[in-house]
Amino acid sequence: MAEWFECKVKYEKNQQDGSLKKVCEPYLVDAINFTEAERRIIEEIKPFMTGDFEVSNIAKARYAEIFETIDDSADRWFKAKLSFITLDEKSGKEKKSSHNVLIQASDLRDAIKRLDEGMKGSMMDYIISSVAETALIDVYHYTADIPEKAEA
């Protein structure tokens, strides 16, 4: 199961008017621990940065699932809170458990549509409690470092 970390990166960004502005942008990284999360975010964003930057904060992020797409228009990330309804076999009472999911979409309507499509195969009843746009810039999945074979 993926362990997600939200990493905030501070740097000076060129504005449209040519001025520089300090910004702090969040990214999501799949990593084993905080140390690896910092190493991975630096590795991932370094090619896109021209000046100095720093990882200013790292926090665990709990997402039960991430619904991604290759659609170019889906350039935003939405966080949805789902409430799952289960029946306790012993007491016969309904229990609710909440889980957060992340959806890549172009707007709120698209996010809900993609969420419903992604949940089609679910056997559990669920209620969408909330959907909100996040400030996330990008999501980086874990990729195993494959060492190159030494030539004999």
Side-chain angles (χ1 to χ4, degrees), residues 70-141:
I70 56 171
D71 185 357
D72 288 337
S73 68
D75 58 351
R76 298 189 229 170
W77 293 95
F78 293 84
K79 178 181 179 178
K81 182 178 179 182
L82 302 180
S83 295
F84 291 93
I85 303 161
T86 57
L87 190 64
D88 187 342
E89 292 179 15
K90 292 179 183 176
S91 67
K93 294 182 181 179
E94 282 189 355
K95 289 172 108 179
K96 279 188 181 180
S97 62
S98 296
H99 298 280
N100 292 323
V101 296
L102 196 62
I103 309 138
Q104 186 179 17
S106 58
D107 60 23
L108 185 59
R109 282 186 209 91
D110 188 35
I112 293 170
K113 185 181 101 183
R114 290 179 192 276
L115 173 60
D116 285 337
E117 285 173 10
M119 294 299 293
K120 271 185 183 173
S122 176
M123 300 295 280
M124 297 180 73
D125 292 332
Y126 67 94
I127 296 169
I128 302 172
S129 301
S130 67
V131 179
E133 186 175 354
T134 69
L136 287 173
I137 302 300
D138 212 345
V139 173
Y140 297 106
H141 290 273

